[in-house]
Amino acid sequence: GAGVSQSPSNKVTEKGKDVELRCDPISGHTALYWYRQSLGQGLEFLIYFQGNSAPDKSGLPSDRFSAERTGGSVSTLTIQRTQQEDSAVYLCASSLEGLNTEAFFGQGTRLTVV
Amino acid sequence: AQSVTQPDIHITVSEGASLELRCNYSYGATPYLFWYVQSPGQGLQLLLKYFSGDTLVQGIKGFEAEFKRSQSSFNLRKPSVHWSDAAEYFCAVGAKNQGGKLIFGQGTELSVKP
């Protein structure tokens, strides 16, 4: 596709369940980012991939959060044992090379933990 | 620690009036500075960016921003606001040696009166 694609667009899950959020970056983009947007917290950086490696995962809030990227393309953000405070919009972005090239954002996945 | 402050949570301007959205940053190195816009139900879109050189940068949709190192500011301006500019605006800072990580401000919501 032409842009960054995220799925699902909405996810409602019960507290304690695991969830997987998917991001399909723009073809050819080597850099991929995950951010979280929640009320009162604004946009928080979670993790950055360059290719399949994650040189910066400093924003992951706890060990319940993990992410991987395969084939230098698709990325999956996994949240284990979800908590209500995990409710937020999870945004993925990709760029051609890194910070000096424009990052394009997906529409996000709205996660609601009930 | 890096931080970005957008002092105005919500601004209302009349259509046709000029606009200035404030952004102050705290960063030890030379920053890369960005303004993004998020319309309801839409992803984040890059308006403009500053890396180096001319401190007045032009962006899309008639926006411009000026980097003032002495004031640690990167304010966004538009001479004449259109109703379609109503959206949330985010200032962000990054650095070349930080890979792709962006630190975002809390955002300023812009409303436009007819």
Side-chain angles (χ1 to χ4, degrees):
Chain A
V4 177
S5 178
Q6 292 187 246
S7 60
S9 54
N10 279 284
K11 176 73 176 179
V12 180
T13 190
E14 292 180 353
K15 179 181 172 182
K17 300 283 190 185
D18 298 351
V19 294
E20 285 189 351
L21 312 180
R22 178 186 169 104
C23 173
D24 281 273
I26 293 173
S27 178
H29 281 194
T30 63
L32 185 147
Y33 321 86
W34 284 97
Y35 289 85
R36 179 168 72 174
Q37 186 174 23
S38 51
L39 285 174
Q41 297 295 322
L43 275 150
E44 304 170 271
F45 168 80
L46 296 178
I47 188 168
Y48 157 60
F49 287 93
Q50 183 61 44
N52 292 335
S53 301
D56 188 349
K57 49 180 80 171
S58 61
L60 294 177
S62 75
D63 59 8
R64 296 187 296 104
F65 287 73
S66 63
E68 66 174 11
R69 189 179 184 193
T70 55
S73 181
V74 173
S75 176
T76 303
L77 177 69
T78 301
I79 309 174
Q80 295 178 309
R81 305 181 303 282
T82 52
Q83 304 294 313
Q84 287 188 327
E85 61 263 28
D86 300 334
S87 296
V89 177
Y90 289 82
L91 293 169
C92 176
S94 71
S95 68
L96 194 58
E97 294 178 348
L99 196 58
N100 60 335
T101 55
E102 180 177 350
F104 294 85
F105 282 78
Q107 301 277 45
T109 293
R110 181 176 297 278
L111 175 66
T112 304
V113 182
V114 297
Chain B
Q2 307 151 27
S3 66
V4 177
T5 302
Q6 294 179 245
D8 304 305
I9 296 172
H10 189 205
I11 283 183
T12 299
V13 299
S14 298
E15 191 167 16
S18 64
L19 171 70
E20 182 168 27
L21 302 182
R22 295 183 291 164
C23 173
N24 292 95
Y25 67 90
S26 173
Y27 200 76
T30 300
Y32 289 2
L33 294 158
F34 306 79
W35 275 99
Y36 282 86
V37 62
Q38 186 177 37
S39 299
Q42 303 293 315
L44 285 157
Q45 182 182 22
L46 179 67
L47 285 175
L48 47 76
K49 62 182 184 287
Y50 171 79
F51 288 168
S52 64
D54 192 348
T55 56
L56 183 64
V57 293
Q58 303 296 321
I60 62 171
K61 305 184 180 187
F63 285 92
E64 66 177 27
E66 186 171 11
F67 171 55
K68 293 186 177 179
R69 184 186 300 274
S70 62
Q71 298 176 20
S72 297
S73 70
F74 188 58
N75 294 348
L76 182 71
R77 301 193 295 249
K78 186 169 185 178
S80 178
V81 169
H82 188 262
W83 64 267
S84 61
D85 293 325
E88 187 146 23
Y89 292 80
F90 293 93
C91 181
V93 65
K96 188 175 182 180
N97 62 357
Q98 293 282 313
K101 179 178 181 178
L102 289 176
I103 306 296
F104 283 85
Q106 294 284 74
T108 297
E109 185 179 355
L110 173 66
S111 297
V112 180
K113 292 190 301 186

